[in-house]
């Protein structure tokens, strides 16, 4: 690994999406966004639905939407295990709005705790996705 | 001896069987390639998940109130065997091998006085297990690989298992599937899912990443909350991995089985053709002798 860079890996259950050395990544953690630079304290965090930003030369190079997951940070690298990931540019507004509507209906119809939890998560993901698409 | 017509009919039938087996072989080969690619693509996630969980489990293991999925519920009386097989046959010993392994485990557990419950993933496993453990089969999940194995399906199965666990339907859960080694070899594997078995390997890796010293992670929010999220997720991931491995193994086994079936059909055709030609010659000779001896008699 090159000096002064972070080995960043983004993995979804289906495949390894991204694996490269970058200057900095900003990950949406459960308790707020956090940036990862080299020699970061080792930590493990839950990732909330939101956008991961990859920085290169002080500017955002890539923005990737993730629907939650986990992040593991060590001094040398940052690994994000995402439930679902896609570049922000590929978010389809109309489809996402439909998703949000469906999810809200599911939430209203939810009968037990389990179903409600699933629906709540779907709503949160769709909302975050819409927000990411606008930004 | 079989008449010429009988032989002709048999040759034709073996030939059409050969066509079917060789077509199946080619289809299996194509599917195998795809399945293999997905298995390899899914490996990084499972590996990293294991590594993360390994270090987390170490941190949480010594503490009180560790999640039940990790530490178990303190009993080991009821065992749930999740048996992953294929939905279709004609793939050599693939299904039987998995079922045999599961049966062996079930017999051993029964002998030790434990209760065994079985959850079948795949039709063929249920068909074979039903004869011996009809009443112990909790349910069968079918068509997991149609049109392909998705993470959602595995998540659904994992959720089901967790619900059963929380309802106290079982204490220990073990998953049986065939790990894909190559098209020729599949290794039947029994993997304990609940309580989660921390592998030394994963823990070693986690330690290795920080230069030998034990990794001291900060947790956000905290260990328990992350674990509560990570453990069900890990179950789904393990399930997903097993289903993918299983489907690659199935296609591999089918390819090998169909390859040898095609070869056997070829041999059979050769043998039948030889008999056919011999018989044909014998008939001609017999007719000639009849004509000649008829002419001589005049």
């Amino acid at each position: 690994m090159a000096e002064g860079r972070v080995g960043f890996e983004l993995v979804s259950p289906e495949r390894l999406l991204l694996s490269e050395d970058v200057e900095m990544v900003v990950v949406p953690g459960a308790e707020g966004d956090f940036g990862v630079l080299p020699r970061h304290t080792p930590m493990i965090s839950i990732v909330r639905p939101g956008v991961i930003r990859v920085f290169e030369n002080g500017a955002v190079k890539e923005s990737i939407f993730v629907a939650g997951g986990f992040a593991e940070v060590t001094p040398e690298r940052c690994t994000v295990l995402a439930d679902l990931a896609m570049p922000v540019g590929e978010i389809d507004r109309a489809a996402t709005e439909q998703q949000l509507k469906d999810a809200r209906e599911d939430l209203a119809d939810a009968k037990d705790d389990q179903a409600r939890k699933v629906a709540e998560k779907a709503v949160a993901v769709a909302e975050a996705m819409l927000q990411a698409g606008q930004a | 001896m079989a008449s010429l017509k009988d032989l002709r009919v048999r040759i034709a039938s073996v030939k059409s069987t050969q066509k079917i087996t060789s077509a199946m072989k080619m289809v299996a080969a194509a599917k195998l390639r795809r399945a293999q690619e997905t298995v390899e693509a899914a490996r990084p996630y499972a590996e990293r998940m294991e590594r993360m969980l390994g270090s987390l489990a170490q941190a949480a293991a010594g503490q009180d109130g560790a999640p039940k999925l990790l530490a178990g519920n303190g009993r080991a009386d009821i065992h749930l065997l999740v048996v992953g097989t294929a939905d279709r046959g004609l793939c050599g010993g693939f299904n039987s091998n998995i079922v045999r392994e599961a049966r062996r485990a079930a017999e051993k557990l029964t002998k030790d006085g434990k209760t065994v419950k079985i959850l079948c993933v795949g039709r063929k496993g249920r068909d074979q297990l039903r004869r011996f453990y009809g009443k112990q089969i909790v349910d069968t999940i079918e068509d997991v690989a149609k049109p392909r194995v998705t993470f959602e399906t595995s998540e659904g199965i994992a959720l089901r298992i967790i619900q059963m666990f929380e309802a106290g339907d079982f204490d220990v859960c073990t998953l049986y599937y065939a790990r894909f080694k190559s098209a020729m070899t599949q290794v039947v594997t029994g993997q304990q899912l609940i309580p989660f078995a921390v592998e030394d390997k994963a823990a070693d890796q986690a330690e290795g990443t920080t230069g030998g010293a034990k990794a001291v992670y900060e947790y956000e929010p905290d260990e328990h909350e992350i674990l509560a999220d990570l453990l069900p997720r890990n179950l789904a991931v393990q399930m997903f991995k097993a289903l993918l491995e299983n489907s690659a193994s199935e296609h591999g086994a089918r390819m090998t089985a169909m390859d040898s079936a095609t070869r056997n059909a070829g041999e059979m055709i050769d043998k039948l053709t030889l008999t056919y030609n011999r018989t044909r010659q014998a008939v001609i000779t017999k007719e000639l002798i009849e004509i000649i001896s008829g002419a001589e008699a005049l």
Side-chain angles (χ1 to χ4, degrees), chain A residues 7 10 16 39 43 56 61 65 69 71 75 80 82 86 96 111 120 127 134:
Chain A
L10 179 61
L16 181 68
R39 293 198 292 280
M43 67 178 272
E56 206 60 68
K61 195 184 80 174
F65 175 79
V80 176
M86 65 158 96
T96 316
K111 287 188 180 65
E120 262 169 18
E127 272 172 356
Q134 278 163 356

Side-chain angles (χ1 to χ4, degrees), chain B residues 109-161:
Chain B
L109 288 168
T110 319
K111 217 168 31 186
D112 292 347
K114 316 269 193 213
T115 314
V116 174
K117 288 184 183 178
I118 296 171
L119 176 69
C120 294
V121 180
R123 234 185 327 261
K124 281 287 157 191
R126 181 204 56 189
D127 291 350
Q128 292 189 21
L129 283 167
R130 196 161 45 182
R131 262 179 287 157
F132 307 95
Y133 303 103
K135 285 185 191 121
Q136 280 140 285
I137 295 181
V138 185
D139 199 8
T140 313
I141 298 160
E142 289 175 15
D143 293 336
V144 281
K146 237 180 200 179
R148 61 193 183 86
V149 181
T150 61
F151 188 67
E152 281 79 41
T153 354
S154 343
E155 231 177 351
I157 300 173
L159 213 64
R160 227 6 251 275
I161 295 174

